[in-house]
Amino acid sequence: RGEARGEARGEARGEARGDRAGKRAALRAVLAARALPLPPELARRVDACDDDATLLAWTTRAATANHLDAVFDDEPTPAP
């Protein structure tokens, strides 16, 4: 019984990691489509991010950003 619970927790963690990897890939795809290449320091920041809300916020910002600061600043300037 304990083994089954441990296995379920491990599966859930693995699924969360896979989901985050997909979110990171989506962010990279949007940035590439917007011709906003990631420099190494920001690539490391994306790779290290384990917060789903942050990854979603970055991806949402990337969809309309004209520069990387608008994506990765903690408080980007709102669009007019």
Side-chain angles (χ1 to χ4, degrees):
R1 187 168 187 179
E3 184 178 321
R5 271 185 273 159
E7 186 175 310
R9 280 192 301 258
E11 285 178 14
R13 280 189 290 245
E15 287 174 8
R17 277 194 294 268
D19 188 45
R20 271 189 221 100
K23 288 177 177 151
R24 288 183 191 107
L27 172 58
R28 290 175 188 276
V30 171
L31 290 170
R34 305 274 307 150
L36 296 170
L38 274 177
E41 66 274 6
L42 285 177
R44 285 189 294 274
R45 186 173 172 193
V46 169
D47 291 340
C49 182
D50 63 357
D51 182 71
D52 291 336
T54 298
L55 290 167
L56 178 60
W58 288 343
T59 303
T60 301
R61 293 176 197 165
T64 59
N66 292 319
H67 52 84
L68 291 172
D69 288 344
V71 177
F72 294 102
D73 278 354
D74 289 335
E75 294 186 34
T77 305

